[in-house]
Amino acid sequence: MIFRAALALGLALAAGGAGATTLTFDQSAPNTPASDFAQLSQAYGDNVASTSQGGFTYAIGAEGATPDVTLSYLSADISTWTTGYGDLTNIIFEDVDGTDLVLQLLAAPGWEVGLLSFDLSSYFQTDRTIATVRVSPASGPDTVFTDVLVQGALDGTAHTTLGFGAGLFSTALTLTLDVSGLGGASDDIGLDNLTFMQRAVETAVPLPAAAPLLAAALGGLALAARRRRAG
């Protein structure tokens, strides 16, 4: 599905307030507050079971924690920054100019991860437009927002929220912010408040439940055959 920016912003729902795990990026490493140009620990966001875990803090809401989801930061150099990105604090950004910011959420066997929402903002008190925001599932079509206005100017809402209603679900989800068109200003796009949840994978109807239906069908066929022979 491909959406224009106006529709993308129209989907800026309150999904982040619905619960689940929200990554606030308040630490760059265990027991280390976020700071400017600090490289983000790969452990942040993995298997979140409580609001305080492994030296990191998280926000957990109604849907519960995400102990069966891991998060990989696939870009070259994802770093933290404290202020200056609109009205957000403690954001992450890709520090290599012209390089996309890429994250992957991966669910453990038997589970799916659902992306609910995230915030974007632009440095320094400036609105910028990025080419695409793409969410790619393990299978099936991508969800793509095009020409996304990332707000940062302090003249109203100084950040952009992209929400996905009840969630985009898959066994793995890859989020890509295409900031390459900004060139040397690509590191001026920050991400915050990444909110996701997990759910058990739906399975097929168990054999014991299907067996009576199959037996009835076979019985009907046998009865019809006997009647034909008797006729």
Side-chain angles (χ1 to χ4, degrees), residues 29 78 112 119 128-129 192 198 210 214:
I78 295 182
E112 291 181 318
D119 293 336
R128 291 181 171 86
T129 298
D192 198 10
Q198 67 176 54
L214 178 61

Side-chain angles (χ1 to χ4, degrees), residues 8 11 34 36 44 72 92 95 102 150 161 164 195 201 210 216 221 223:
L11 290 175
D36 297 346
Y44 184 77
S72 295
I92 61 171
D95 196 23
V102 186
V150 179
T161 299
F164 304 93
T195 302
V201 174
L221 292 174
L223 179 60

Side-chain angles (χ1 to χ4, degrees), residues 2 18 21 39 56 64 118 147 178 222:
I2 299 179
T21 293
Q39 193 162 11
F56 297 116
F118 53 87
D147 300 326
D178 180 0

Side-chain angles (χ1 to χ4, degrees), residues 139-193:
S139 61
D142 292 357
T143 296
V144 183
F145 299 103
T146 62
D147 300 326
V148 178
L149 175 65
V150 179
Q151 300 182 77
L154 301 178
D155 56 359
T157 301
H159 69 269
T160 297
T161 299
L162 294 183
F164 304 93
L168 296 177
F169 282 88
S170 180
T171 55
L173 292 169
T174 301
L175 170 62
T176 304
L177 307 184
D178 180 0
V179 295
S180 57
L182 299 179
S186 62
D187 56 355
D188 287 347
I189 302 299
L191 182 146
D192 198 10
N193 300 318

Side-chain angles (χ1 to χ4, degrees), residues 189-212:
I189 302 299
L191 182 146
D192 198 10
N193 300 318
L194 181 70
T195 302
F196 56 96
M197 61 180 288
Q198 67 176 54
R199 70 182 183 188
V201 174
E202 295 182 4
T203 56
V205 177
L207 182 60

Side-chain angles (χ1 to χ4, degrees), residues 221 223-231:
L221 292 174
L223 179 60
R226 286 198 298 271
R227 287 175 175 171
R228 285 196 299 272
R229 287 196 299 270

Side-chain angles (χ1 to χ4, degrees), residues 21-219:
T21 293
T22 298
L23 306 186
T24 57
F25 304 107
D26 290 340
Q27 296 86 28
S28 57
N31 303 306
T32 303
S35 59
D36 297 346
F37 289 120
Q39 193 162 11
L40 182 65
S41 169
Q42 279 284 349
Y44 184 77
D46 288 347
N47 309 112
V48 178
S50 66
T51 56
S52 180
Q53 175 181 315
F56 297 116
T57 59
Y58 306 99
I60 296 177
E63 282 87 353
T66 51
D68 299 288
V69 176
T70 57
L71 176 59
S72 295
Y73 303 96
L74 303 182
S75 301
D77 185 3
I78 295 182
S79 302
T80 60
W81 195 270
T82 52
T83 59
Y85 284 78
D87 57 1
L88 301 179
T89 59
N90 299 332
I91 60 88
I92 61 171
F93 69 100
E94 171 51 53
D95 196 23
V96 178
D97 289 346
T99 301
D100 294 346
L101 193 159
V102 186
L103 314 176
Q104 185 181 66
L105 294 160
L106 179 64
W111 295 91
E112 291 181 318
V113 58
L115 179 61
L116 297 179
S117 67
F118 53 87
D119 293 336
L120 300 174
S121 193
S122 179
Y123 189 89
F124 181 75
Q125 300 180 12
T126 302
D127 296 343
R128 291 181 171 86
T129 298
I130 61 177
T132 60
V133 174
R134 181 182 300 272
V135 183
S136 305
S139 61
D142 292 357
T143 296
V144 183
F145 299 103
T146 62
D147 300 326
V148 178
L149 175 65
V150 179
Q151 300 182 77
L154 301 178
D155 56 359
T157 301
H159 69 269
T160 297
T161 299
L162 294 183
F164 304 93
L168 296 177
F169 282 88
S170 180
T171 55
L173 292 169
T174 301
L175 170 62
T176 304
L177 307 184
D178 180 0
V179 295
S180 57
L182 299 179
S186 62
D187 56 355
D188 287 347
I189 302 299
L191 182 146
D192 198 10
N193 300 318
L194 181 70
T195 302
F196 56 96
M197 61 180 288
Q198 67 176 54
R199 70 182 183 188
V201 174
E202 295 182 4
T203 56
V205 177
L207 182 60
L213 297 176
L214 178 61
L218 292 176

